[in-house]
Amino acid sequence: MKKLESDLLELLKEDCRLSVDKLAVMTGATPEEVSETIHQLEEERVILRYAPTINWDKTDRERVEAMIEVRVTPQRDMGFDAVAKRIYRFEEVKSVYLMSGSYDLLVLVEARTLKDLALFVSEKLSTLEMVTGTATSFVLKRYKEEGVIFEGDKSDQRLVISP
């Protein structure tokens, strides 16, 4: 990966609202180079979408989030990919990760109510023939997501590292 591509990805991850002109100044490239590189990264599906990190607890939106550890039997000739594909197509599923350790997949789900989430697990996820077991943990409170701290002051809270 070229340095410009790497620099742009880091800057956009931190703040996807930065203008092309500002990104050009920050990277030392021309606005045309920045625009072309971003377009190329989008075409190659390196950049998939631009999205803010939202503290939903500060809104009146009702929702329940859970992380589900899923144990599965992999599909012959397809491994875990076919199982993951089947699971990530459900509307309630926000993320799916292949994991090492005591379970195979970590599934992050969201539903409007606890009942809706329970129905998803019992009627959709657990009934899949390749799923051999699940363990659901509900998100009670989020403190930090995508590097953003949700509560406390806005000053830099990173730990100082000294030699």
Side-chain angles (χ1 to χ4, degrees):
M1 179 172 279
K2 298 175 189 169
K3 180 165 176 26
L4 177 58
E5 291 174 341
S6 179
D7 290 347
L8 286 172
L9 291 173
E10 289 296 326
L11 290 168
L12 289 170
K13 182 171 177 22
E14 188 67 31
D15 184 358
C16 64
R17 299 174 299 165
L18 292 170
S19 69
V20 169
D21 291 332
K22 193 164 192 173
L23 288 166
V25 170
M26 296 171 83
T27 60
T30 66
E32 293 77 21
E33 290 173 316
V34 168
S35 183
E36 183 179 310
T37 301
I38 290 172
H39 178 72
Q40 178 186 344
L41 291 168
E42 291 168 345
E43 287 293 313
E44 294 172 355
R45 295 192 45 81
V46 173
I47 296 175
L48 299 174
R49 113 181 176 184
Y50 301 89
T53 301
I54 298 170
N55 185 352
W56 290 108
D57 294 340
K58 300 250 183 201
T59 71
D60 59 358
R61 181 178 172 196
E62 292 294 323
R63 65 193 214 123
V64 179
E65 295 174 294
M67 297 180 186
I68 306 172
E69 299 170 0
V70 182
R71 287 179 303 286
V72 301
T73 303
Q75 300 293 83
R76 181 180 294 277
D77 299 325
M78 290 185 272
F80 292 102
D81 293 347
V83 180
K85 185 176 184 179
R86 183 104 183 258
I87 292 172
Y88 71 58
R89 289 189 171 183
F90 289 117
E91 177 184 331
E92 297 87 350
V93 174
K94 299 303 171 198
S95 301
V96 178
Y97 303 98
L98 179 62
M99 305 296 289
S100 63
S102 60
Y103 56 94
D104 304 304
L105 299 172
L106 178 64
V107 181
L108 280 62
V109 297
E110 179 183 298
R112 194 175 55 78
T113 66
L114 183 62
K115 181 178 180 179
D116 291 340
L117 202 141
L119 286 173
F120 165 74
V121 173
S122 65
E123 294 181 0
K124 294 180 181 177
L125 185 61
S126 295
T127 60
L128 296 174
E129 62 276 359
M130 67 282 286
V131 172
T132 61
T134 64
T136 303
S137 298
F138 293 95
V139 176
L140 302 177
K141 183 175 183 177
R142 292 184 300 158
Y143 294 98
K144 184 176 181 178
E145 182 176 296
E146 296 292 326
V148 177
I149 298 171
F150 283 90
E151 293 187 7
D153 61 21
K154 294 181 181 178
S155 63
D156 190 354
Q157 296 294 315
R158 294 178 288 181
L159 297 175
V160 177
I161 298 175
S162 59

